[in-house]
Amino acid sequence: MNPLRIAIVGLGKIARDQHVPAIVATEGAVLTAVASRNASLAGVPHVATLEDLLRAGPPVDAVALCTPPQVRRAQAAMALAAGKHVMLEKPPGATVGEVKPLLTAAAAAGRTLFATWHSRFAPAVEPARRLLDGRRVTAVRISWKEDVRVWHPGQAWIWQPGGLGVFDPGINALSILTRILPQPLFVTSADLAFPANRDAPIAASLSLSDAKGLPIDAELDFRQTGPQSWDIHLDTDGGPVTLSSGGARLTTGAEQLVDAPEDEYAGLYRRFVALVAAGESDVDLAPLQLVADAFMLGRRRTVEPFEDAT
Ligand code: NAP
């Protein structure tokens, strides 16, 4: 079979750090073009925009949309209309409702729409899901705290409506949680801290639950300096389980079950190639729905203005 010819759209931080090396390393995929207004890659054909790519760029089978969420729906619709398979970076949209029409368009066009959740491809996530399958979970505590100045320097879009603020990383925790627990979850309360000069939260405290009243607490914070935390602690009838380092490590009590280097994007591209070959799409909106519900239910507090040092 011919390799899947992929164009990256939006050559920013995640495209450079992860998509480029992952495509290059994936059997059955080839990086054919980059569409980015202000960036290019040596040795890879370049156009400025998706429109240019579709009109006059090198032929491609698929696009990987690595742009901010606020512009992705229109780009995905355009690419699907042009007969391209589409990979969406997370979150799949700036709203929940805008994604379904894309899935309908993909089905009508016979193309693949893959709404990625990269954290679900962290090495300890599937082992955690299998481990928990045989246990009763009695409480969950999430701590997802990072320094926005380190991880998102100068990214204005993250603070704009639809940019999600601290939920941009926080949704990764929710994507893991909704994978390792089989039952539907919902938000029961949310406290959102908005900097006085920004349109998205810098911190959030969430409570979630399930139909049986499972207590789930999540602390998300963009103001973390020093050690960063991307951890999910679960109390179970078989003892404590901790998924840490963003899903790279799994421990039960004192025993370390998984401690592996992260390789999430290789997994994403293997899945994309397989989905295209099978003629299928993969779109799970559960994590985005939880974030939308947190915004809907959330009590908003105004906190001190945030100044990006960069
Ligand atoms: P980024 O560094 O700001 O890169 C996004 C790129 O998209 C920009 O470099 C820009 O390239 C293009 N772009 C920006 N605004 C645009 C607009 N209005 N219209 C068209 N193109 C635009 O952001 P990022 O960190 O890579 O994040 C992109 C997405 O990946 C986000 O949804 C984020 O949640 C997700 N993600 C990020 C990370 C991370 O660690 N940073 C990790 C996982 C997932 P040009 O100006 O050259 O067009």
Side-chain angles (χ1 to χ4, degrees), residues 8 19 97-98 119 155 185 191 243 255 257:
I8 286 178
H19 288 258
E98 71 187 31
S119 290
Q155 291 182 349
L185 307 175
D191 178 276
L243 198 47
E255 196 187 355
L257 300 182

Side-chain angles (χ1 to χ4, degrees), residues 10-15 36-39 48 66-69 71-72 75 89-91 118 151-152 155 157 168 265:
L11 190 67
K13 183 168 187 337
I14 198 61
S36 205
R37 299 161 307 177
N38 301 296
C66 304
T67 44
V71 298
R72 247 189 264 127
Q75 293 179 329
E89 248 301 348
K90 48 69 40 173
H118 65 86
W151 301 101
H152 303 277
Q155 291 182 349
W157 60 265
D168 177 77
Y265 281 77

Side-chain angles (χ1 to χ4, degrees), residues 141-213:
R141 291 173 302 284
I142 295 173
S143 174
W144 221 259
K145 300 181 178 179
E146 64 181 50
D147 186 341
V148 66
R149 291 190 173 94
V150 171
W151 301 101
H152 303 277
Q155 291 182 349
W157 60 265
I158 215 165
W159 297 109
Q160 293 161 0
L164 298 194
V166 74
F167 286 100
D168 177 77
I171 202 169
N172 296 334
L174 299 175
S175 75
I176 294 175
L177 188 69
T178 49
R179 177 68 189 162
I180 61 176
L181 297 183
Q183 68 273 38
L185 307 175
F186 51 87
V187 176
T188 57
S189 74
D191 178 276
L192 310 177
F194 279 68
N197 59 344
R198 305 284 171 162
D199 289 320
I202 196 164
S205 300
L206 305 184
S207 297
L208 301 96
S209 195
D210 67 359
K212 292 186 173 164

